[in-house]
């Protein structure tokens, strides 16, 4: 016969775990909202920067501009920036981005191209260090919602690698935020910048809402209205110098957006994982409660049979 005390203790333990997972789900949901607010708050600067770059692009022929960040070189070595998390309990978020970075490195090896990693997040660092992979720089302990100074610090390292010609191209492997239940590891070239990469494009931002007591994400297109600079505009500085000063800002902004997308993806994955854990706990509690009730009923029945059997023996 099952031990009733053991079942009661198991039910109590599962209920305590369920409280923790539900609390973690709510915390992750609140942080996703913060990530959403940060994406929205940084957009005005990004839009204005895009407008200025668009105007300079129309005024200048980028192909004729000799700037270090636009210079295309024969690719012999690639720097791979990998964005992972510091913590687990977020489903396959970390494994997916690590696997994508590893596959990209294998593709480069097949082409005879060297590579080195710049790693963000303790999970990626632990993984690649155990495999003795070439690592140039490591970053941990970043804010849960990435900030502009953090993006600038990492961008400086990437610029140093590229401008010193230690690498001929810098690629970013991060997780693109799709929805609360879906994210996708992608590879994006950060350096060198290209004229095509500076063109105006429709962008998307996500909005976390609730419907029927459940969280859901709505994505909406945001179109930046880029206007060409007036033909009679006079520059106090050479437009090439202005462009040279703006391109690092553009790189910082691109990196910040990628870090924000990765953070939102990690939080959404953790929220989904904790929600699934809470649902599983509820199901397990129901199963254990049923087992407990059956065992208790069997125990009561056994006691009654013993009483009846004892009474019959006495009566006989």
């Amino acid at each position: 016969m099952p031990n009733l005390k053991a079942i009661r203790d198991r039910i109590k333990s599962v209920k305590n775990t369920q409280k923790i997972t539900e609390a973690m789900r709510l915390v992750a949901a609140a942080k996703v909202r913060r990530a959403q607010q940060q994406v929205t708050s940084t957009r005005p600067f990004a839009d204005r920067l895009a407008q200025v770059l668009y105007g300079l692009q129309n005024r200048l022929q980028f192909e004729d501009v000799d700037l270090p960040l636009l210079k295309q070189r024969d690719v012999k070595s690639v720097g791979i920036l990998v964005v992972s998390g510091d913590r687990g309990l977020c489903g396959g978020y970390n494994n997916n981005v690590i696997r994508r970075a590893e596959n990209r490195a294998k593709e480069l090896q097949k082409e005879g191209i060297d590579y080195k990693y710049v790693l963000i997040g303790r999970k990626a660092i632990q993984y690649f260090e155990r495999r003795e992979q070439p690592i140039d720089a490591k970053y941990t302990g970043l804010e849960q919602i990435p900030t502009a100074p953090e993006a600038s610090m990492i961008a400086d390292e990437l610029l140093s690698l590229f401008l010193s010609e230690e690498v001929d191209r810098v690629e970013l492997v991060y997780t693109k935020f799709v929805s609360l239940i879906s994210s996708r590891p992608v590879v994006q070239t950060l350096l060198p910048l290209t004229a095509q990469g500076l063109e105006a494009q429709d962008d998307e931002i996500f909005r976390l809402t609730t419907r029927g007591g459940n969280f859901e994400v709505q994505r909406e297109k945001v179109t930046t209205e880029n206007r060409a600079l007036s033909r009679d505009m006079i520059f106090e500085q050479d437009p090439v110098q202005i462009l040279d000063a703006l391109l690092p800002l553009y790189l910082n902004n691109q990196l910040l957006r990628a870090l924000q997308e990765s953070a939102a993806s990690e939080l959404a994955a953790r929220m989904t994982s904790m929600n699934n854990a809470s649902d599983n706990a509820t199901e397990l509690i129901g199963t254990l409660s049923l087992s407990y009730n059956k065992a208790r009923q069997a125990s009561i029945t056994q006691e009654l049979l013993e009483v009846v059997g004892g009474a019959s023996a006495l009566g006989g």
Side-chain angles (χ1 to χ4, degrees), residues 13-28:
S13 174
V14 173
K15 285 183 176 179
N16 290 336
T17 301
Q18 185 183 36
K19 291 178 182 178
I20 295 172
T21 57
E22 182 62 18
M24 292 181 67
R25 183 186 75 87
L26 295 175
V27 169

Side-chain angles (χ1 to χ4, degrees), residues 47 69 85 133 190 202 290 304 312:
D47 289 347
L69 297 187
Q133 291 293 305
L190 283 179
D202 288 347
L290 182 60
L304 288 175
S312 298

